[in-house]
Amino acid sequence: MKKVLLIATGGTIASGYTKEGLAPRIAAKDLLQYVEDYKAFCQVDILQPFSLDSTNIYAKHWLKLAELIEEQYAGYDGFVICHGTDTMAFTAAALSYLIQNSKKPVVITGSQKPINLPVTDARTNLLDSLRFASDDRAHGVNIVFGGNAIAGTRAKKERSKSYNAFSSINYPNMAALCDGKIVFYIDDKDRVTEPTVFYHKLNENVLLLKLMPGMDGSMLKRLFPCYDAVVIEAFGVGGLPEYGQVPFYEEIRRWTDAGKIVMMATQVTHEGSDMEVYKVGRIIKEDFHLMEAYDMTLEATVTKVMWALGQAKEQELSGQFRHLFYKTVNHDMLLYAPGSDGDRSVL
Ligand code: ASP
């Protein structure tokens, strides 16, 4: 019999109706009574470090979850985290960077409807997750939701109400779950050869700035004192506007001269950035040796910047950061990046 640790953190799956609206209030042990079929294949222990709408979950909670899993790692075959769907993709990406090369599965799940409603996706998602966490082929951080297992760095919430809320972006699903069976599309556990590593530091001083037509660099100028890194969600394959009173070009110079990170990404969900295609992107990339997120999700980009900044030593920030960021972790980046000096050996 497999041993699984269920870590409940709140979210819709555990929510009930209150006068103020839906809020988490179903205790972790009560979640399990709705999915009793799990007893056929695993034994479950429970932890409940907090009970929050995931709107209120951020870096300190990601670190807490990684710490709990590290403390309990030896005692279990797999881990299931129940979590709200709204920021689940950020938590899954953050945990992918905080817990690397895990041969045991860390599954994150939740639902669009509370578990105690007569019609709900919660019971299927939770039972599927316990099954996935008990499977010898599963490993690493994944979201299990709507019948799919998605690599923790590739998930995005694309639907606010439907049961198939999450998609795997620029990467195939890892597995499909149906009628108590798991079909692995990517069955690669034997490729995990490095030891499991837990990280304990994130630098939260990262800004995600979405461009809109008419925006110039004045926003970057004002935010300069507050952040160590900015991820810019550009249009299309990537570029920066050339108009305006405060040119982006000058602001990018200010940030990079100060040793801060400027990471280019795209606000287009599918297919990724490629700053070298258009003049509006290529010149600024070349002049400042800018990095870009290519086919990564924004959730993975932001949390990977936090993780890499947290590890890089200040004296050699840019070199170390570049190396850490361009190393593929939990399937997060596949596009060939010319001149990126990335290490693409670990997929
Ligand atoms: N607001 C909820 C949360 O993210 C939504 C959900 O769980 O589906 O906690």
Short mmCIF file of all heavy atoms in Angstrom, two decimals, residues 116-165:
data_model
loop_
_atom_site.label_atom_id
_atom_site.label_comp_id
_atom_site.label_asym_id
_atom_site.label_seq_id
_atom_site.Cartn_x
_atom_site.Cartn_y
_atom_site.Cartn_z
N ASN A 116 -18.37 19.36 -1.61
CA ASN A 116 -19.62 18.87 -1.00
C ASN A 116 -20.87 19.17 -1.83
O ASN A 116 -21.98 18.94 -1.38
CB ASN A 116 -19.77 19.42 0.43
CG ASN A 116 -19.80 20.94 0.45
OD1 ASN A 116 -19.78 21.57 -0.61
ND2 ASN A 116 -19.84 21.51 1.64
N LEU A 117 -20.72 19.69 -3.05
CA LEU A 117 -21.89 19.89 -3.91
C LEU A 117 -22.27 18.57 -4.59
O LEU A 117 -21.40 17.73 -4.83
CB LEU A 117 -21.60 20.94 -4.97
CG LEU A 117 -21.38 22.38 -4.51
CD1 LEU A 117 -21.40 23.32 -5.71
CD2 LEU A 117 -22.41 22.81 -3.48
N PRO A 118 -23.54 18.40 -4.95
CA PRO A 118 -23.93 17.15 -5.63
C PRO A 118 -23.26 17.00 -6.98
O PRO A 118 -22.92 15.89 -7.39
CB PRO A 118 -25.46 17.27 -5.79
CG PRO A 118 -25.85 18.58 -5.24
CD PRO A 118 -24.68 19.28 -4.65
N VAL A 119 -23.07 18.10 -7.70
CA VAL A 119 -22.38 18.03 -8.99
C VAL A 119 -21.10 18.84 -8.87
O VAL A 119 -21.13 20.05 -8.63
CB VAL A 119 -23.26 18.60 -10.12
CG1 VAL A 119 -22.50 18.55 -11.45
CG2 VAL A 119 -24.57 17.84 -10.22
N THR A 120 -19.98 18.15 -8.99
CA THR A 120 -18.69 18.82 -8.77
C THR A 120 -17.57 18.06 -9.47
O THR A 120 -17.65 16.84 -9.63
CB THR A 120 -18.37 18.93 -7.26
OG1 THR A 120 -17.04 19.47 -7.09
CG2 THR A 120 -18.42 17.58 -6.54
N ASP A 121 -16.53 18.79 -9.84
CA ASP A 121 -15.32 18.15 -10.38
C ASP A 121 -14.34 17.76 -9.29
O ASP A 121 -13.34 17.10 -9.53
CB ASP A 121 -14.62 19.10 -11.38
CG ASP A 121 -14.35 20.47 -10.79
OD1 ASP A 121 -15.04 20.89 -9.84
OD2 ASP A 121 -13.42 21.15 -11.27
N ALA A 122 -14.63 18.16 -8.04
CA ALA A 122 -13.66 18.02 -6.97
C ALA A 122 -13.31 16.57 -6.65
O ALA A 122 -12.14 16.23 -6.43
CB ALA A 122 -14.17 18.72 -5.70
N ARG A 123 -14.34 15.73 -6.63
CA ARG A 123 -14.07 14.33 -6.21
C ARG A 123 -13.19 13.62 -7.23
O ARG A 123 -12.26 12.91 -6.87
CB ARG A 123 -15.39 13.59 -6.01
CG ARG A 123 -16.14 14.15 -4.82
CD ARG A 123 -17.48 13.52 -4.65
NE ARG A 123 -18.38 14.53 -4.11
CZ ARG A 123 -19.70 14.48 -4.12
NH1 ARG A 123 -20.30 13.44 -4.65
NH2 ARG A 123 -20.41 15.44 -3.61
N THR A 124 -13.51 13.82 -8.52
CA THR A 124 -12.68 13.19 -9.56
C THR A 124 -11.25 13.72 -9.47
O THR A 124 -10.29 12.95 -9.53
CB THR A 124 -13.25 13.52 -10.96
OG1 THR A 124 -14.62 13.21 -10.95
CG2 THR A 124 -12.54 12.76 -12.04
N ASN A 125 -11.09 15.04 -9.33
CA ASN A 125 -9.74 15.61 -9.31
C ASN A 125 -8.93 15.09 -8.11
O ASN A 125 -7.74 14.77 -8.25
CB ASN A 125 -9.80 17.14 -9.28
CG ASN A 125 -10.23 17.72 -10.61
OD1 ASN A 125 -10.25 17.02 -11.63
ND2 ASN A 125 -10.58 18.99 -10.62
N LEU A 126 -9.58 15.01 -6.95
CA LEU A 126 -8.84 14.58 -5.76
C LEU A 126 -8.48 13.09 -5.85
O LEU A 126 -7.34 12.69 -5.57
CB LEU A 126 -9.65 14.88 -4.49
CG LEU A 126 -8.98 14.52 -3.16
CD1 LEU A 126 -7.56 15.11 -3.06
CD2 LEU A 126 -9.82 15.00 -1.98
N LEU A 127 -9.45 12.28 -6.30
CA LEU A 127 -9.17 10.84 -6.41
C LEU A 127 -8.09 10.59 -7.48
O LEU A 127 -7.16 9.81 -7.27
CB LEU A 127 -10.46 10.08 -6.73
CG LEU A 127 -10.38 8.56 -6.61
CD1 LEU A 127 -9.97 8.13 -5.20
CD2 LEU A 127 -11.74 7.92 -6.96
N ASP A 128 -8.20 11.28 -8.62
CA ASP A 128 -7.17 11.17 -9.67
C ASP A 128 -5.79 11.55 -9.12
O ASP A 128 -4.78 10.92 -9.45
CB ASP A 128 -7.49 12.11 -10.85
CG ASP A 128 -8.53 11.54 -11.80
OD1 ASP A 128 -8.90 10.36 -11.66
OD2 ASP A 128 -8.98 12.29 -12.70
N SER A 129 -5.76 12.59 -8.32
CA SER A 129 -4.47 13.07 -7.78
C SER A 129 -3.86 12.06 -6.83
O SER A 129 -2.64 11.82 -6.86
CB SER A 129 -4.66 14.41 -7.06
OG SER A 129 -5.13 15.36 -7.98
N LEU A 130 -4.70 11.46 -5.98
CA LEU A 130 -4.18 10.44 -5.05
C LEU A 130 -3.67 9.24 -5.84
O LEU A 130 -2.63 8.65 -5.51
CB LEU A 130 -5.28 10.03 -4.06
CG LEU A 130 -5.68 11.13 -3.07
CD1 LEU A 130 -6.97 10.77 -2.34
CD2 LEU A 130 -4.57 11.39 -2.05
N ARG A 131 -4.39 8.91 -6.92
CA ARG A 131 -3.96 7.79 -7.76
C ARG A 131 -2.63 8.10 -8.44
O ARG A 131 -1.72 7.28 -8.48
CB ARG A 131 -5.04 7.51 -8.82
CG ARG A 131 -4.95 6.15 -9.46
CD ARG A 131 -6.01 5.98 -10.54
NE ARG A 131 -7.38 6.14 -10.06
CZ ARG A 131 -8.07 5.19 -9.42
NH1 ARG A 131 -7.52 4.03 -9.19
NH2 ARG A 131 -9.31 5.42 -9.03
N PHE A 132 -2.51 9.31 -8.96
CA PHE A 132 -1.28 9.72 -9.65
C PHE A 132 -0.11 9.73 -8.66
O PHE A 132 0.99 9.24 -8.97
CB PHE A 132 -1.47 11.11 -10.26
CG PHE A 132 -0.41 11.51 -11.25
CD1 PHE A 132 -0.48 11.09 -12.57
CD2 PHE A 132 0.65 12.32 -10.86
CE1 PHE A 132 0.50 11.47 -13.49
CE2 PHE A 132 1.63 12.70 -11.77
CZ PHE A 132 1.56 12.27 -13.09
N ALA A 133 -0.37 10.23 -7.45
CA ALA A 133 0.69 10.30 -6.44
C ALA A 133 1.10 8.91 -5.95
O ALA A 133 2.14 8.75 -5.32
CB ALA A 133 0.22 11.15 -5.26
N SER A 134 0.28 7.90 -6.24
CA SER A 134 0.58 6.52 -5.81
C SER A 134 1.19 5.70 -6.94
O SER A 134 1.44 4.50 -6.76
CB SER A 134 -0.71 5.82 -5.36
OG SER A 134 -1.34 6.55 -4.35
N ASP A 135 1.38 6.31 -8.11
CA ASP A 135 1.83 5.55 -9.28
C ASP A 135 3.36 5.58 -9.37
O ASP A 135 3.97 6.66 -9.31
CB ASP A 135 1.21 6.15 -10.55
CG ASP A 135 1.34 5.22 -11.74
OD1 ASP A 135 2.49 4.96 -12.18
OD2 ASP A 135 0.31 4.74 -12.22
N ASP A 136 3.95 4.41 -9.57
CA ASP A 136 5.42 4.33 -9.62
C ASP A 136 6.03 5.09 -10.79
O ASP A 136 7.20 5.44 -10.77
CB ASP A 136 5.86 2.87 -9.72
CG ASP A 136 5.68 2.16 -8.40
OD1 ASP A 136 5.83 2.82 -7.36
OD2 ASP A 136 5.36 0.95 -8.41
N ARG A 137 5.24 5.34 -11.84
CA ARG A 137 5.78 6.05 -13.01
C ARG A 137 5.80 7.56 -12.81
O ARG A 137 6.48 8.28 -13.54
CB ARG A 137 4.96 5.71 -14.27
CG ARG A 137 5.03 4.25 -14.68
CD ARG A 137 3.94 3.92 -15.68
NE ARG A 137 2.61 4.01 -15.08
CZ ARG A 137 1.46 3.87 -15.74
NH1 ARG A 137 1.47 3.63 -17.03
NH2 ARG A 137 0.30 3.96 -15.11
N ALA A 138 5.02 8.06 -11.85
CA ALA A 138 4.90 9.52 -11.68
C ALA A 138 6.09 10.07 -10.88
O ALA A 138 6.63 9.39 -10.00
CB ALA A 138 3.61 9.84 -10.95
N HIS A 139 6.48 11.30 -11.19
CA HIS A 139 7.58 11.94 -10.46
C HIS A 139 7.49 13.44 -10.69
O HIS A 139 6.80 13.92 -11.61
CB HIS A 139 8.94 11.42 -10.97
CG HIS A 139 9.21 11.80 -12.39
ND1 HIS A 139 9.93 12.92 -12.74
CD2 HIS A 139 8.82 11.24 -13.56
CE1 HIS A 139 9.98 13.01 -14.05
NE2 HIS A 139 9.31 12.01 -14.58
N GLY A 140 8.20 14.20 -9.87
CA GLY A 140 8.27 15.66 -10.06
C GLY A 140 6.95 16.35 -9.75
O GLY A 140 5.99 15.74 -9.28
N VAL A 141 6.93 17.66 -10.04
CA VAL A 141 5.76 18.48 -9.69
C VAL A 141 4.82 18.55 -10.89
O VAL A 141 5.22 18.95 -11.98
CB VAL A 141 6.22 19.90 -9.28
CG1 VAL A 141 5.02 20.77 -8.96
CG2 VAL A 141 7.17 19.84 -8.09
N ASN A 142 3.58 18.16 -10.67
CA ASN A 142 2.55 18.20 -11.72
C ASN A 142 1.24 18.71 -11.16
O ASN A 142 0.94 18.51 -9.98
CB ASN A 142 2.28 16.78 -12.26
CG ASN A 142 3.43 16.24 -13.06
OD1 ASN A 142 3.56 16.52 -14.24
ND2 ASN A 142 4.29 15.46 -12.41
N ILE A 143 0.45 19.34 -12.03
CA ILE A 143 -0.95 19.62 -11.70
C ILE A 143 -1.78 18.48 -12.28
O ILE A 143 -1.58 18.10 -13.45
CB ILE A 143 -1.40 20.97 -12.30
CG1 ILE A 143 -0.80 22.13 -11.49
CG2 ILE A 143 -2.93 21.09 -12.35
CD1 ILE A 143 -1.21 23.51 -11.96
N VAL A 144 -2.68 17.92 -11.47
CA VAL A 144 -3.65 16.94 -11.98
C VAL A 144 -5.03 17.59 -11.88
O VAL A 144 -5.47 17.98 -10.79
CB VAL A 144 -3.59 15.62 -11.18
CG1 VAL A 144 -4.78 14.72 -11.53
CG2 VAL A 144 -2.27 14.89 -11.48
N PHE A 145 -5.68 17.74 -13.02
CA PHE A 145 -6.93 18.51 -13.06
C PHE A 145 -7.66 18.19 -14.35
O PHE A 145 -7.05 18.13 -15.42
CB PHE A 145 -6.59 20.02 -13.04
CG PHE A 145 -7.70 20.88 -12.51
CD1 PHE A 145 -7.67 21.35 -11.21
CD2 PHE A 145 -8.77 21.23 -13.32
CE1 PHE A 145 -8.69 22.16 -10.71
CE2 PHE A 145 -9.79 22.04 -12.83
CZ PHE A 145 -9.75 22.51 -11.53
N GLY A 146 -8.98 17.97 -14.25
CA GLY A 146 -9.79 17.76 -15.45
C GLY A 146 -9.35 16.56 -16.27
O GLY A 146 -9.48 16.57 -17.50
N GLY A 147 -8.78 15.54 -15.64
CA GLY A 147 -8.39 14.34 -16.36
C GLY A 147 -7.01 14.40 -17.00
O GLY A 147 -6.63 13.49 -17.74
N ASN A 148 -6.26 15.47 -16.72
CA ASN A 148 -4.91 15.59 -17.29
C ASN A 148 -3.87 15.81 -16.19
O ASN A 148 -4.16 16.45 -15.18
CB ASN A 148 -4.82 16.78 -18.24
CG ASN A 148 -5.71 16.60 -19.45
OD1 ASN A 148 -5.71 15.53 -20.07
ND2 ASN A 148 -6.48 17.63 -19.79
N ALA A 149 -2.67 15.29 -16.44
CA ALA A 149 -1.51 15.66 -15.61
C ALA A 149 -0.65 16.59 -16.45
O ALA A 149 -0.31 16.27 -17.60
CB ALA A 149 -0.73 14.43 -15.20
N ILE A 150 -0.33 17.75 -15.89
CA ILE A 150 0.40 18.80 -16.62
C ILE A 150 1.66 19.14 -15.83
O ILE A 150 1.60 19.34 -14.60
CB ILE A 150 -0.49 20.07 -16.74
CG1 ILE A 150 -1.78 19.74 -17.50
CG2 ILE A 150 0.26 21.21 -17.40
CD1 ILE A 150 -2.82 20.86 -17.50
N ALA A 151 2.80 19.21 -16.52
CA ALA A 151 4.05 19.58 -15.83
C ALA A 151 3.84 20.90 -15.09
O ALA A 151 3.24 21.84 -15.63
CB ALA A 151 5.18 19.70 -16.84
N GLY A 152 4.36 20.97 -13.87
CA GLY A 152 4.13 22.14 -13.00
C GLY A 152 4.57 23.46 -13.61
O GLY A 152 4.07 24.52 -13.23
N THR A 153 5.49 23.42 -14.55
CA THR A 153 5.96 24.67 -15.18
C THR A 153 5.18 25.03 -16.44
O THR A 153 5.44 26.05 -17.06
CB THR A 153 7.42 24.51 -15.62
OG1 THR A 153 7.49 23.39 -16.50
CG2 THR A 153 8.33 24.30 -14.43
N ARG A 154 4.27 24.15 -16.85
CA ARG A 154 3.60 24.36 -18.15
C ARG A 154 2.12 24.68 -18.03
O ARG A 154 1.44 24.85 -19.04
CB ARG A 154 3.78 23.11 -19.02
CG ARG A 154 5.20 22.89 -19.51
CD ARG A 154 5.60 23.98 -20.49
NE ARG A 154 6.90 23.71 -21.08
CZ ARG A 154 7.40 24.43 -22.08
NH1 ARG A 154 6.75 25.45 -22.59
NH2 ARG A 154 8.60 24.15 -22.56
N ALA A 155 1.62 24.71 -16.81
CA ALA A 155 0.17 24.86 -16.62
C ALA A 155 -0.24 26.33 -16.66
O ALA A 155 0.49 27.21 -16.21
CB ALA A 155 -0.23 24.25 -15.28
N LYS A 156 -1.42 26.57 -17.20
CA LYS A 156 -2.02 27.90 -17.14
C LYS A 156 -3.53 27.74 -16.96
O LYS A 156 -4.14 26.89 -17.60
CB LYS A 156 -1.73 28.66 -18.43
CG LYS A 156 -2.27 30.09 -18.39
CD LYS A 156 -1.91 30.87 -19.64
CE LYS A 156 -0.50 31.38 -19.65
NZ LYS A 156 -0.25 32.45 -18.67
N LYS A 157 -4.10 28.56 -16.09
CA LYS A 157 -5.55 28.57 -15.96
C LYS A 157 -6.10 29.36 -17.13
O LYS A 157 -5.93 30.58 -17.19
CB LYS A 157 -5.98 29.17 -14.62
CG LYS A 157 -7.49 29.07 -14.39
CD LYS A 157 -7.91 29.52 -13.00
CE LYS A 157 -9.42 29.40 -12.86
NZ LYS A 157 -9.93 29.84 -11.56
N GLU A 158 -6.75 28.67 -18.05
CA GLU A 158 -7.27 29.34 -19.25
C GLU A 158 -8.78 29.52 -19.23
O GLU A 158 -9.32 30.21 -20.08
CB GLU A 158 -6.88 28.54 -20.49
CG GLU A 158 -5.40 28.66 -20.86
CD GLU A 158 -5.16 28.34 -22.32
OE1 GLU A 158 -5.63 27.28 -22.78
OE2 GLU A 158 -4.49 29.14 -22.98
N ARG A 159 -9.46 28.86 -18.29
CA ARG A 159 -10.91 28.99 -18.20
C ARG A 159 -11.29 29.28 -16.75
O ARG A 159 -10.82 28.59 -15.85
CB ARG A 159 -11.61 27.71 -18.69
CG ARG A 159 -11.44 27.50 -20.17
CD ARG A 159 -12.08 26.25 -20.69
NE ARG A 159 -11.78 26.13 -22.10
CZ ARG A 159 -10.62 25.71 -22.60
NH1 ARG A 159 -9.66 25.33 -21.78
NH2 ARG A 159 -10.42 25.67 -23.89
N SER A 160 -12.13 30.28 -16.56
CA SER A 160 -12.43 30.68 -15.18
C SER A 160 -13.56 29.84 -14.57
O SER A 160 -13.74 29.86 -13.35
CB SER A 160 -12.78 32.16 -15.11
OG SER A 160 -13.88 32.43 -15.94
N LYS A 161 -14.34 29.11 -15.40
CA LYS A 161 -15.48 28.37 -14.85
C LYS A 161 -15.54 26.89 -15.23
O LYS A 161 -16.02 26.07 -14.46
CB LYS A 161 -16.78 29.04 -15.30
CG LYS A 161 -16.92 30.45 -14.75
CD LYS A 161 -18.15 31.15 -15.25
CE LYS A 161 -18.18 32.58 -14.71
NZ LYS A 161 -19.23 33.39 -15.31
N SER A 162 -15.09 26.55 -16.42
CA SER A 162 -15.25 25.16 -16.90
C SER A 162 -14.35 24.19 -16.13
O SER A 162 -13.33 24.59 -15.56
CB SER A 162 -14.87 25.07 -18.38
OG SER A 162 -15.62 25.99 -19.12
N TYR A 163 -14.73 22.91 -16.19
CA TYR A 163 -13.96 21.90 -15.47
C TYR A 163 -12.56 21.70 -16.09
O TYR A 163 -11.63 21.29 -15.41
CB TYR A 163 -14.70 20.56 -15.45
CG TYR A 163 -15.92 20.53 -14.54
CD1 TYR A 163 -16.74 19.41 -14.51
CD2 TYR A 163 -16.22 21.59 -13.69
CE1 TYR A 163 -17.85 19.36 -13.67
CE2 TYR A 163 -17.33 21.56 -12.86
CZ TYR A 163 -18.14 20.44 -12.85
OH TYR A 163 -19.23 20.39 -12.03
N ASN A 164 -12.46 21.93 -17.40
CA ASN A 164 -11.13 21.80 -18.02
C ASN A 164 -10.40 23.15 -17.96
O ASN A 164 -10.02 23.73 -18.97
CB ASN A 164 -11.23 21.28 -19.46
CG ASN A 164 -12.08 22.20 -20.35
OD1 ASN A 164 -12.86 22.99 -19.83
ND2 ASN A 164 -11.90 22.09 -21.65
N ALA A 165 -10.21 23.63 -16.74
CA ALA A 165 -9.69 24.99 -16.54
C ALA A 165 -8.23 25.14 -16.97
O ALA A 165 -7.82 26.22 -17.40
CB ALA A 165 -9.80 25.35 -15.06
#
